[in-house]
Amino acid sequence: MAAASLSRLSRRATTSAVAAAPSLRRLLSATSTAPAAPSAPPPPPSQPAAAAVGADRVRWDYRGQRQLVPLGQWMPKVAVDAYVAPEAVLAGQVTIHDGASVWSGAVLRGDLNKITLGFCANVQERCVLHAAWAAPTGLPAETLVDRYVTVGAYSLLRSCTIEPECIIGQHSILMEGSLVETNSILEAGSVLPPGRRIPTGELWAGSPARFVRKLTNEEIMEIPKLATAINDLMQSHFSEFLPYSTAYLEVEKLKKSFSIPL
């Protein structure tokens, strides 16, 4: 009996499936022949390629690093034969004189006061030079690095004065109002506190910096030679870049007007 009932149930299920098959086929055929949904409107025509490139260039010019950054009415001034590395940044009241060099990664921020780099002076890699509005000691708040001065890499100078023919060792810190007189040397890793003075012809070192000894005449004679050697090295780097000023255009005019090789 059970087998007979199961066979009857199976036959009924098969019959209902066969009867439902035409209706499923009709539904499927109706779905396939239904009109397609309207597609999205075509995108507007893109801007010309030249305009897109120009916009990208403008964005890049303002996002990328710039060597000379004007601040208000102040614009850094760089002499024709001074070298400023592409990775260095000069902002605001900064003046770089002839033969001076600012090496890679250095930052000279003259937003509050003046920063001056004298003839044949050099500021090496990763140095930071800036200045305060005013020094609490009443001394000049400008930052002055005079001629034939060598500032070692990773040094920090803030509102200090370095007279001609001095050497500042690497990783040194010179605070507000400090003064390094001519023909002096500050050893590497030294810290010169605010208002401290290094007399002429002396060697100082330490944190805080203290007197070590007097310099010999031979050592004093070597100080400008080091700055000159760095200036000579600068020439090989400087030759890889275009001039910063328009003086080369004047030279071209003179060559054409006089028709003589220069």
Side-chain angles (χ1 to χ4, degrees), residues 212-227:
V212 177
R213 61 177 175 83
K214 286 281 189 178
L215 294 175
T216 64
N217 290 333
E218 290 76 11
E219 290 172 332
I220 292 176
M221 294 296 293
E222 290 297 323
I223 293 175
K225 292 181 181 179
L226 175 60

Side-chain angles (χ1 to χ4, degrees), residues 129-209:
L129 278 67
H130 56 107
W133 281 111
T137 57
L139 296 172
E142 301 177 6
T143 298
L144 171 62
V145 180
D146 217 324
R147 63 184 185 275
Y148 293 106
V149 171
T150 298
V151 180
Y154 293 92
S155 296
L156 170 63
L157 280 62
R158 176 176 171 83
S159 295
C160 60
T161 300
I162 305 175
E163 293 185 350
E165 301 183 13
C166 293
I167 295 177
I168 307 300
Q170 298 180 2
H171 292 270
S172 295
I173 299 176
L174 283 74
M175 302 304 294
E176 295 90 341
S178 57
L179 170 63
V180 181
E181 294 186 353
T182 184
N183 296 328
S184 299
I185 297 178
L186 182 64
E187 284 284 359
S190 301
V191 177
L192 198 60
R196 187 67 59 86
R197 178 179 68 94
I198 298 180
T200 181
E202 293 185 0
L203 171 66
W204 283 47
S207 176

